mmCIF file of all heavy atoms in Angstrom:
data_model
loop_
_atom_site.group_PDB
_atom_site.id
_atom_site.type_symbol
_atom_site.label_atom_id
_atom_site.label_comp_id
_atom_site.label_asym_id
_atom_site.label_seq_id
_atom_site.Cartn_x
_atom_site.Cartn_y
_atom_site.Cartn_z
ATOM 1 N N THR A 110 176.725 189.435 74.099
ATOM 2 C CA THR A 110 176.362 188.125 74.418
ATOM 3 C C THR A 110 175.852 187.254 73.230
ATOM 4 O O THR A 110 174.964 187.585 72.519
ATOM 5 C CB THR A 110 175.191 188.095 75.517
ATOM 6 O OG1 THR A 110 175.599 188.837 76.654
ATOM 7 C CG2 THR A 110 174.679 186.807 75.782
ATOM 8 N N ALA A 111 176.605 186.217 72.899
ATOM 9 C CA ALA A 111 176.412 185.399 71.805
ATOM 10 C C ALA A 111 177.358 184.240 71.748
ATOM 11 O O ALA A 111 178.174 184.036 72.611
ATOM 12 C CB ALA A 111 176.596 186.240 70.492
ATOM 13 N N GLU A 112 177.201 183.421 70.665
ATOM 14 C CA GLU A 112 178.064 182.349 70.517
ATOM 15 C C GLU A 112 179.070 182.671 69.321
ATOM 16 O O GLU A 112 178.551 183.219 68.311
ATOM 17 C CB GLU A 112 177.450 181.025 70.308
ATOM 18 C CG GLU A 112 178.519 179.819 70.351
ATOM 19 C CD GLU A 112 177.906 178.486 70.690
ATOM 20 O OE1 GLU A 112 176.623 178.333 70.696
ATOM 21 O OE2 GLU A 112 178.536 177.584 71.110
ATOM 22 N N TYR A 113 180.341 182.450 69.649
ATOM 23 C CA TYR A 113 181.283 182.919 68.565
ATOM 24 C C TYR A 113 182.072 181.638 67.952
ATOM 25 O O TYR A 113 182.454 180.758 68.724
ATOM 26 C CB TYR A 113 182.350 183.811 69.150
ATOM 27 C CG TYR A 113 181.799 185.174 69.545
ATOM 28 C CD1 TYR A 113 181.076 185.205 70.778
ATOM 29 C CD2 TYR A 113 181.785 186.262 68.747
ATOM 30 C CE1 TYR A 113 180.410 186.478 71.263
ATOM 31 C CE2 TYR A 113 181.282 187.435 69.043
ATOM 32 C CZ TYR A 113 180.465 187.687 70.282
ATOM 33 O OH TYR A 113 179.842 188.712 70.616
ATOM 34 N N PHE A 114 182.138 181.552 66.608
ATOM 35 C CA PHE A 114 182.826 180.474 65.971
ATOM 36 C C PHE A 114 183.952 180.915 65.147
ATOM 37 O O PHE A 114 183.883 181.845 64.424
ATOM 38 C CB PHE A 114 181.781 179.829 65.097
ATOM 39 C CG PHE A 114 180.519 179.145 65.826
ATOM 40 C CD1 PHE A 114 179.335 179.807 66.010
ATOM 41 C CD2 PHE A 114 180.583 177.763 66.124
ATOM 42 C CE1 PHE A 114 178.332 179.236 66.492
ATOM 43 C CE2 PHE A 114 179.670 177.170 66.830
ATOM 44 C CZ PHE A 114 178.415 177.908 67.092
ATOM 45 N N CYS A 115 184.961 180.238 65.392
ATOM 46 C CA CYS A 115 186.177 180.346 64.595
ATOM 47 C C CYS A 115 186.022 179.402 63.383
ATOM 48 O O CYS A 115 185.531 178.230 63.577
ATOM 49 C CB CYS A 115 187.445 180.008 65.417
ATOM 50 S SG CYS A 115 189.080 180.325 64.582
ATOM 51 N N ALA A 116 186.586 179.770 62.200
ATOM 52 C CA ALA A 116 186.408 178.816 61.091
ATOM 53 C C ALA A 116 187.646 178.961 60.081
ATOM 54 O O ALA A 116 188.210 180.029 60.090
ATOM 55 C CB ALA A 116 185.095 179.143 60.345
ATOM 56 N N VAL A 117 187.847 177.971 59.217
ATOM 57 C CA VAL A 117 189.003 177.993 58.414
ATOM 58 C C VAL A 117 188.525 177.360 57.139
ATOM 59 O O VAL A 117 187.700 176.438 57.095
ATOM 60 C CB VAL A 117 190.153 177.083 58.989
ATOM 61 C CG1 VAL A 117 189.687 175.734 59.257
ATOM 62 C CG2 VAL A 117 191.368 177.188 58.199
ATOM 63 N N ARG A 118 189.113 177.784 55.967
ATOM 64 C CA ARG A 118 189.009 177.024 54.693
ATOM 65 C C ARG A 118 190.276 177.293 54.021
ATOM 66 O O ARG A 118 191.198 178.264 54.152
ATOM 67 C CB ARG A 118 187.956 177.661 53.850
ATOM 68 C CG ARG A 118 188.024 179.117 53.478
ATOM 69 C CD ARG A 118 187.285 179.523 52.143
ATOM 70 N NE ARG A 118 187.994 179.121 51.025
ATOM 71 C CZ ARG A 118 187.738 179.539 49.844
ATOM 72 N NH1 ARG A 118 186.674 180.410 49.650
ATOM 73 N NH2 ARG A 118 188.433 179.157 48.784
ATOM 74 N N SER A 119 190.644 176.315 53.187
ATOM 75 C CA SER A 119 191.936 176.261 52.353
ATOM 76 C C SER A 119 191.674 177.215 51.340
ATOM 77 O O SER A 119 190.590 177.582 50.952
ATOM 78 C CB SER A 119 192.272 174.871 51.913
ATOM 79 O OG SER A 119 191.437 174.608 50.872
ATOM 80 N N LEU A 120 192.878 177.682 50.665
ATOM 81 C CA LEU A 120 192.794 178.531 49.474
ATOM 82 C C LEU A 120 192.258 177.880 48.302
ATOM 83 O O LEU A 120 191.789 178.438 47.293
ATOM 84 C CB LEU A 120 194.205 179.174 49.302
ATOM 85 C CG LEU A 120 194.575 180.380 49.972
ATOM 86 C CD1 LEU A 120 194.641 180.146 51.533
ATOM 87 C CD2 LEU A 120 195.736 181.000 49.601
ATOM 88 N N ILE A 121 192.269 176.570 48.261
ATOM 89 C CA ILE A 121 192.008 175.816 47.055
ATOM 90 C C ILE A 121 190.582 175.079 47.051
ATOM 91 O O ILE A 121 190.050 174.595 46.159
ATOM 92 C CB ILE A 121 192.975 174.838 46.711
ATOM 93 C CG1 ILE A 121 193.176 173.690 47.755
ATOM 94 C CG2 ILE A 121 194.288 175.450 46.385
ATOM 95 C CD1 ILE A 121 194.097 172.641 47.459
#
Side-chain angles (χ1 to χ4, degrees):
Chain A
T110 297
E112 189 151 20
Y113 293 80
F114 293 94
C115 183
V117 63
R118 60 157 281 198
S119 76
L120 272 62
I121 57 174

